[in-house]
């Protein structure tokens, strides 16, 4: 709890500094623009991030039914919010899958199957996202990179994600090569004393490679679910990337419909930059990069768009995800306690 509290303090501090940096010259204009928005428009914007997370939950429904035929839409949505919450409060989003594995177990999917499900989700999402963003790069990156050297940072983020995808498929297609590479890395770590217990690290990594290779072979046979989950992720990413356009129109920024593709591309570039911001939720850096990317398009109201976009896609989801995680954990613990107490004393209470 102390670690998570420190992460929350860090998130608030970095977000506050980023907002001050982005709004210090025209905060009155930003506040005035937001205050004049129609209440319905504001509600739609704030619910947009919720819808994005709900759509993600459908991936878990599709995958979860393979292991538990009774897996429900509600279960999938809970899993998605828990993953978003824990990823958002831990550095480099490292806590999300651990919390989801716990929730999946409580939802009737054993740990080994839950790990396979999470691997499949990660593989499909990462592949879909990189195909999507690569198309956007080909269409728009050249034009915008000529306008600012900041886009070199976006290119670096893109390359980081590309390396992740290449590594995934290298593990899938050439597992023996990856095991040899792991052994070589372990010997190198021993020589330079880079980390403690390198043998344990190598063994753990080998198990990960073997688990991943097994899962990719199983996943490859389930083409229907791959297509369905890819389409869900396509909708999910489009919702995320298009939100700044919706916010801009709600703030009466005169963006034509033809600018939608530009907004989607710039949004994807902002999230590419997040790849090497290691703080929880990429706080601080995300706000600054957004302001830099959209300044020429949205002018004085860029700060207003950024505040609403970030609040919808991050802060609201973290708040709701935290509540859902707490309620779900309490519910599952009480349910398990009742089930245990009923063993040997009659029929199990469901």
């Amino acid at each position: 709890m102390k670690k998570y509290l420190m992460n929350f303090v860090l998130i608030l501090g970095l977000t506050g500094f980023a907002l001050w940096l982005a709004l210090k010259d025209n905060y009155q204009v930003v506040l005035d623009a937001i205050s004049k928005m129609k209440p319905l428009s504001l509600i739609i914007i704030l619910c947009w991030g919720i819808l994005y997370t709900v759509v993600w939950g459908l991936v878990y429904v599709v995958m979860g039914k393979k292991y538990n035929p009774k897996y429900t839409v509600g279960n999938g949505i809970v899993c998605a919010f828990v993953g978003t919450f824990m990823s958002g409060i831990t550095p480099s989003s490292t806590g999300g899958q651990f919390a989801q594995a716990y929730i999946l177990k409580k939802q009737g999917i054993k740990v080994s199957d839950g790990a396979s499900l999470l691997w499949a989700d990660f593989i499909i999402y990462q592949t879909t996202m990189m195909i999507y963003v690569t198309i956007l790069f080909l269409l728009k990156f050249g034009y915008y990179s000529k306008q600012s050297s900041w886009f070199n940072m976006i290119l670096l983020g893109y390359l980081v994600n590309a390396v992740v995808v290449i590594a995934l498929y290298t593990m899938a297609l050439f597992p023996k090569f990856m095991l040899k590479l792991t052994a070589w890395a372990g010997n190198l770590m021993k020589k330079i004393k880079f980390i403690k217990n390198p043998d344990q690290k190598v063994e753990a990594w080998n198990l990960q490679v073997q688990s991943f290779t097994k899962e990719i072979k199983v996943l490859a046979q389930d083409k229907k679910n791959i297509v369905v989950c890819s389409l869900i992720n396509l909708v999910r990413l489009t919702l995320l990337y298009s939100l700044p356009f919706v916010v801009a129109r709600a703030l009466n920024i005169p963006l034509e419909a033809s600018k939608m593709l530009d907004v989607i591309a710039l949004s994807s570039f902002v999230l590419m930059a997040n790849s090497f911001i290691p703080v929880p939720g990429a706080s601080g850096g995300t706000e600054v990069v957004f302001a830099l990317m959209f300044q020429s398009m949205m002018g004085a109201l860029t700060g207003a768009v950024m505040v609403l976009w970030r609040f919808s896609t991050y802060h609201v989801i973290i708040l709701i995800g935290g509540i859902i995680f707490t309620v779900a954990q309490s519910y599952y613990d009480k349910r398990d306690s009742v089930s245990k107490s009923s063993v040997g004393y009659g029929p199990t209470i469901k």
Side-chain angles (χ1 to χ4, degrees), residues 54-298:
V54 168
V55 170
W56 183 22
L58 299 180
V59 172
Y60 294 111
V61 177
V62 173
M63 293 289 185
K65 284 186 178 295
K66 185 169 68 172
Y67 303 105
N68 179 3
K70 296 182 179 180
Y71 199 80
T72 66
V73 173
N75 286 336
I77 292 172
V78 167
C79 190
F81 272 100
V82 168
T84 302
F85 168 65
M86 291 302 294
S87 293
I89 65 170
T90 51
S92 301
S93 303
T94 51
Q97 289 191 328
F98 291 104
Q100 287 177 309
Y102 163 80
I103 290 295
L104 287 169
K105 180 183 177 183
K106 295 294 185 179
Q107 292 174 341
I109 297 177
K110 60 184 182 180
V111 174
S112 59
D113 290 339
S116 296
L117 187 155
L118 293 171
W119 263 122
D121 173 47
F122 179 70
I123 296 163
I124 295 172
Y125 171 75
Q126 200 71 22
T127 303
T128 306
M129 184 266 291
M130 284 306 298
I131 292 172
Y132 196 143
V133 175
T134 298
I135 293 171
L136 294 172
F137 258 70
L138 293 174
L139 292 173
K140 294 295 181 179
F141 184 77
Y143 171 76
Y144 283 104
S145 64
K146 293 177 182 177
Q147 300 181 19
S148 173
S149 58
W150 283 104
F151 279 85
N152 293 327
M153 180 173 62
I154 308 303
L155 180 59
L156 180 58
Y158 174 82
L159 293 175
V160 168
N161 280 277
V163 167
V164 170
V165 172
I166 292 170
L168 287 175
Y169 284 96
T170 301
M171 280 194 290
L173 299 173
F174 308 105
K176 292 182 179 179
F177 169 75
M178 291 302 297
L179 292 174
K180 289 180 180 179
L181 183 62
T182 301
W184 174 83
N187 291 329
L188 181 63
M189 288 186 288
K190 285 181 182 178
K191 291 179 180 179
I192 63 177
K193 297 181 180 180
F194 183 68
I195 60 171
K196 294 180 179 179
N197 302 319
D199 290 334
Q200 292 181 9
K201 297 292 183 182
V202 170
E203 183 178 356
W205 178 245
N206 286 342
L207 290 173
Q208 288 286 343
V209 172
Q210 292 168 8
S211 174
F212 175 81
T213 303
K214 178 183 176 182
E215 179 55 32
I216 201 73
K217 290 179 180 178
V218 174
L219 182 62
Q221 298 173 1
D222 197 359
K223 294 181 174 58
K224 181 181 176 181
N225 278 353
I226 292 175
V227 172
V228 172
C229 291
S230 297
L231 291 174
I232 293 172
N233 278 313
L234 187 63
V235 173
R236 174 188 170 198
L237 289 167
T238 302
L239 283 169
L240 180 62
Y241 295 156
S242 63
L243 179 56
F245 184 87
V246 177
V247 177
R249 293 295 292 266
L251 289 167
N252 296 315
I253 298 174
L255 288 183
E256 299 177 357
S258 60
K259 285 292 183 181
M260 173 66 88
L261 183 61
D262 292 81
V263 171
I264 289 175
L266 289 174
S267 296
S268 73
F269 298 165
V270 170
L271 295 173
M272 280 291 105
N274 288 357
S275 302
F276 51 91
I277 301 176
V279 299
S283 300
T286 299
E287 291 83 357
V288 171
V289 174
F290 185 96
L292 289 170
M293 295 294 103
F294 282 97
Q295 182 65 44
S296 62
M297 181 183 292
M298 299 182 179

Side-chain angles (χ1 to χ4, degrees), residues 36-57:
K36 291 180 179 178
M37 288 179 64
K38 295 177 181 180
L40 180 60
S41 297
L42 188 58
I43 291 171
I44 290 173
I45 289 167
L46 296 181
C47 290
W48 199 277
I50 298 173
L51 178 60
Y52 161 79
T53 310
V54 168
V55 170
W56 183 22

